[in-house]
Amino acid sequence: MTRTVAIFASLALSATAAMADDTEGSIFQQEFSGIQSGLNEIILNAGSQNPASLETESDIGTAAPLVGGNVDQLITNALNVLVSKGSVVSNATQISTGSQYATNLMDGRNATLADGTLRQMGENLANVITAEQVDSVTQQFGPGAMQDVTNTALLRGNAGSVVQIGRNTANIVEAELSIGLGSQVFPFDSTQQINNFVRISDAAPLPAEMAGFDVPATTLIRMSSDASIWQEGTNMGNILIADEVRDVARVFNGQQIINNHIILDDIGQAPPQITQSGINVANFVSASRVSGLTQVSDGVQIVENRVTDGSLADLTAQVPQYTHVAENYVNVLHIRAPGNPSGGTLTVLDATVSASQEARIPQSSVSGNGRQVQVGNAATVER
């Protein structure tokens, strides 16, 4: 659990400023009902004398193969973000009923990506607060809210390494001192989803379930001896980090889905190293003192890590070095050792813990081997 908590902390925003003189605090209200859509699309086409040009869909037929080097496709969407370091937030309301899409596509079926690294990274942030102190907070992701990251790579030639990373974060509050009365809600029809997909094939048709990726049926990848594929997805919903958390109700009834998929029609085309990782986190609290906290979960958490052939038969056992991680966490309390703003350490009696947790959430992971973790209603206490 220590390693997992470290992951959560690294993803959180930092707030280390001193208390402001404004003890009354500020009032904020943010509402978003629109669409944020980011698209990076690269098409490599062998038709020009330029040896190292990239083309977009608008100038198809004008570019030649990419013969070497690295390619980065990076997207960040952010909505309802409040950064109020060094001050008190008296009341904050953040509601998002909209959608965020981060889509990266590399289409190299007609050219060569040689000896480099293709990095595809997409991140969506919704309802984020960083402050010294938050007296009252309401965060709602939905109804009908969506965060979607899709990374798709279609390559041909002596490819180097492929890195695909997706991160979705909704409803997160970090305060150095305290988080008071409030709620975080993630309704039934709200979704965080990550799709990382690499196609390594020369002729086989796509399975019907992959049609949504709009992937051509004929692609070809020849991996070099030191090549690798890394696919990683992280979904986080309803996160609280503070020294003290009190009187907060959290409901997670949505969906967190991670799908890492590699299709190898010819196992000889597999890179020596493949890593697939998926982590879903819902209703997580890290604090020294917790009182009046309620956490209820009735949603869905899914991680699927797959290396298959065109018929979806499992090939993970045939990959020379295959690493798999699938972790689902819901209703998790991390009770830190109590600190004292005036110096020293508070006694255990000063660091009360009062919380209720209820989980009716289905958690599932799919893979051939590797580490699988399912955690519901858990608490770690450092004293």
Side-chain angles (χ1 to χ4, degrees):
M1 183 60 71
T2 300
R3 185 193 67 84
T4 302
V5 170
I7 292 175
F8 301 158
S10 67
L11 292 174
L13 300 175
S14 175
T16 58
M19 176 68 74
D21 292 334
D22 182 11
T23 58
E24 290 292 326
S26 303
I27 298 175
F28 298 92
Q29 181 167 337
Q30 297 174 315
E31 297 187 22
F32 181 89
S33 59
I35 297 175
Q36 288 183 323
S37 181
L39 171 63
N40 285 326
E41 184 176 40
I42 295 176
I43 299 174
L44 304 180
N45 186 56
S48 168
Q49 298 302 312
N50 186 349
S53 59
L54 299 179
E55 64 171 348
T56 63
E57 191 172 13
S58 62
D59 48 61
I60 241 177
T62 66
L66 177 68
V67 296
N70 300 325
V71 177
D72 290 340
Q73 294 180 303
L74 312 175
I75 297 174
T76 299
N77 293 317
L79 62 88
N80 290 356
V81 177
L82 170 58
V83 178
S84 186
K85 295 183 179 181
S87 63
V88 176
V89 175
S90 177
N91 183 282
T93 299
Q94 294 179 319
I95 299 174
S96 172
T97 58
S99 301
Q100 295 175 302
Y101 298 96
T103 303
N104 293 308
L105 171 63
M106 165 64 82
D107 183 346
R109 65 191 188 278
N110 293 321
T112 299
L113 178 65
D115 295 332
T117 298
L118 168 63
R119 291 196 309 155
Q120 296 178 314
M121 300 179 64
E123 182 173 21
N124 294 311
L125 297 165
N127 297 351
V128 178
I129 297 176
T130 299
E132 184 79 4
Q133 176 177 319
V134 181
D135 293 334
S136 178
V137 60
T138 298
Q139 289 182 319
Q140 183 173 317
F141 184 70
M146 165 67 77
Q147 289 182 319
D148 180 276
V149 177
T150 298
N151 297 314
T152 302
L154 316 170
L155 302 174
R156 178 182 177 184
N158 183 27
S161 297
V162 178
V163 177
Q164 296 178 319
I165 297 176
R167 297 192 180 105
N168 291 316
T169 302
N171 293 356
I172 178 170
V173 182
E174 183 178 12
E176 185 173 347
L177 296 180
S178 63
I179 300 171
L181 179 71
S183 65
Q184 289 181 314
V185 180
F186 204 114
F188 280 102
D189 56 352
S190 297
T191 302
Q192 294 177 312
Q193 180 165 305
I194 297 169
N195 297 306
N196 293 318
F197 180 66
V198 175
R199 174 74 175 181
I200 304 179
S201 175
D202 51 5
L206 286 172
E209 71 174 56
M210 302 309 295
F213 285 98
D214 192 24
V215 180
T218 58
T219 60
L220 178 64
I221 299 179
R222 298 297 180 188
M223 308 299 289
S224 61
S225 60
D226 59 350
S228 65
I229 297 178
W230 179 288
Q231 295 179 317
E232 174 188 318
T234 304
N235 289 318
M236 303 184 72
N238 292 355
I239 309 297
L240 297 177
I241 300 174
D243 185 63
E244 180 181 8
V245 174
R246 61 184 184 277
D247 299 327
V248 179
R250 288 125 63 75
V251 177
F252 179 85
N253 289 331
Q255 299 184 87
Q256 293 180 320
I257 301 169
I258 298 173
N259 178 27
N260 296 317
H261 193 183
I262 300 169
I263 293 182
L264 305 170
D265 285 339
D266 181 354
I267 190 60
Q269 297 172 336
Q273 300 181 23
I274 291 179
T275 300
Q276 294 178 313
S277 172
I279 300 176
N280 290 316
V281 183
N283 288 357
F284 172 79
V285 175
S286 178
S288 298
R289 293 174 293 280
V290 175
S291 61
L293 174 70
T294 302
Q295 300 193 129
V296 178
S297 299
D298 196 14
V300 176
Q301 291 181 316
I302 298 172
V303 177
E304 293 190 359
N305 295 320
R306 296 179 293 169
V307 180
T308 72
D309 62 17
S311 66
L312 299 185
D314 181 54
L315 297 179
T316 55
Q318 301 181 52
V319 178
Q321 298 181 47
Y322 175 67
T323 302
H324 151 75
V325 176
E327 300 180 359
N328 292 312
Y329 299 90
V330 64
N331 294 355
V332 177
L333 291 178
H334 172 221
I335 308 300
R336 305 192 301 267
N340 190 336
S342 62
T345 302
L346 297 178
T347 67
V348 174
L349 294 177
D350 294 321
T352 60
V353 177
S354 172
S356 67
Q357 298 174 310
E358 181 179 355
R360 298 184 296 269
I361 185 170
Q363 298 172 308
S364 67
S365 59
V366 176
S367 84
N369 53 41
R371 184 173 75 251
Q372 301 188 36
V373 178
Q374 319 280 358
V375 175
N377 293 345
T380 61
V381 181
E382 300 173 2
R383 289 289 188 256

